[in-house]
């Protein structure tokens, strides 16, 4: 498994990216083909089923902060190759600022929330890679013409939404902040914290607050 690995400081660098972790995979591939109709009108079906799970069994470099773990910077022992973690949320305060959980208490200390190293302070959602995926393909034929209808599926995985409004006055990915879908759901007045989790628009922006809320 490719990851950042420690190297002697005499080399001029402290780590390199290479094969330095072990991973265990378990899975199954299954393909079933059938010919349902044969003749002037033909109909064939192909079902693909794939199941795969993986777990990192050893890795020399440990995490440096919860922020690195959430952003999947390096492999993490005991979890899938691409785990999805998040900072637990306590909603918004009465100014529209996002709140987290630090040692069981509501907190807005974004520096500590991001930089501490304690995986127990994070919420694990699952793997970014689907455990189940495949397709169902039907091919209908009439003389020299064919019509193929392919359905793909994937189950049992987690992902984090992108291009969310974080309270910053800047857009992401080339979008202006007003085009982000969450912008109109933002906190605007006291009491909104009871009905929305989208933070207030603030200026100047806080990169730590944005990073915490985005993750």
């Amino acid at each position: 498994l490719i990851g950042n690995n420690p190297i002697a400081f005499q080399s001029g660098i402290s780590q390199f990216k290479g094969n330095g972790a072990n991973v265990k995979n378990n899975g199954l591939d299954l393909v079933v083909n059938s010919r349902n109709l044969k003749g002037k009108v033909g109909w064939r079906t192909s079902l693909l089923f794939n199941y795969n799970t993986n777990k990192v069994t050893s890795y020399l470099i440990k995490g440096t902060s919860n922020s690195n773990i959430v952003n999947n910077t390096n492999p993490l022992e005991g979890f899938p190759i691409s785990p999805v973690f998040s900072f637990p949320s306590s909603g918004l305060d009465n100014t529209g600022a996002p709140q987290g959980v630090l040692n069981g208490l509501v907190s807005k200390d974004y520096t500590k929330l991001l930089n501490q190293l304690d995986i127990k302070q994070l919420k694990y959602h699952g793997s970014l890679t689907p455990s189940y995926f495949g397709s169902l393909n039907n091919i209908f034929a009439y003389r020299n013409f064919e019509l193929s209808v392919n359905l793909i599926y994937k189950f049992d995985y987690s992902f984090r939404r992108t291009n969310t409004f974080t309270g910053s006055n800047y857009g992401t990915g080339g979008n202006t902040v007003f085009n982000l879908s969450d912008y109109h759901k933002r906190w605007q007045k006291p009491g909104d914290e009871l009905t929305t989790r989208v933070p207030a628009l603030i200026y100047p922006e806080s990169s730590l607050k944005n990073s915490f809320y985005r993750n």
Side-chain angles (χ1 to χ4, degrees), residues 5 12 20 23 25 61 71 92-93 96 103 107-109 112 127 129 133 144 161 177 188 191 205 215:
N5 298 276
V23 61
N25 284 276
I61 293 183
N71 286 286
L92 306 176
D93 67 6
N103 298 321
S107 174
K108 291 191 296 181
D109 190 338
K112 287 185 178 180
S127 174
T129 304
F133 62 91
N144 294 326
R161 290 179 54 204
V177 65
Q188 299 182 60
E205 71 168 347
N215 292 307

Side-chain angles (χ1 to χ4, degrees), residues 109-121:
D109 190 338
Y110 306 122
T111 300
K112 287 185 178 180
L113 288 167
L114 294 171
N115 295 328
Q116 68 172 329
L117 179 56
D118 183 2
I119 196 171
K120 294 180 181 178
Q121 302 287 335

Side-chain angles (χ1 to χ4, degrees), residues 1-6 15-18 20-21 59-61 73-75:
L1 181 65
I2 303 299
N4 293 316
N5 298 276
Q15 61 183 21
F16 73 98
K17 180 165 285 189
Y59 183 55
L60 293 177
I61 293 183
T73 303
N74 287 317

Side-chain angles (χ1 to χ4, degrees), residues 10 16 23 46 52 57 78 86 98 132 136 141 148 150 177 189 206 211:
Q10 297 92 316
F16 73 98
V23 61
S46 178
N52 181 270
T57 57
S86 70
Y132 303 89
L136 176 64
S148 177
N150 190 35
V177 65
K189 63 183 184 303
S206 167
S211 180

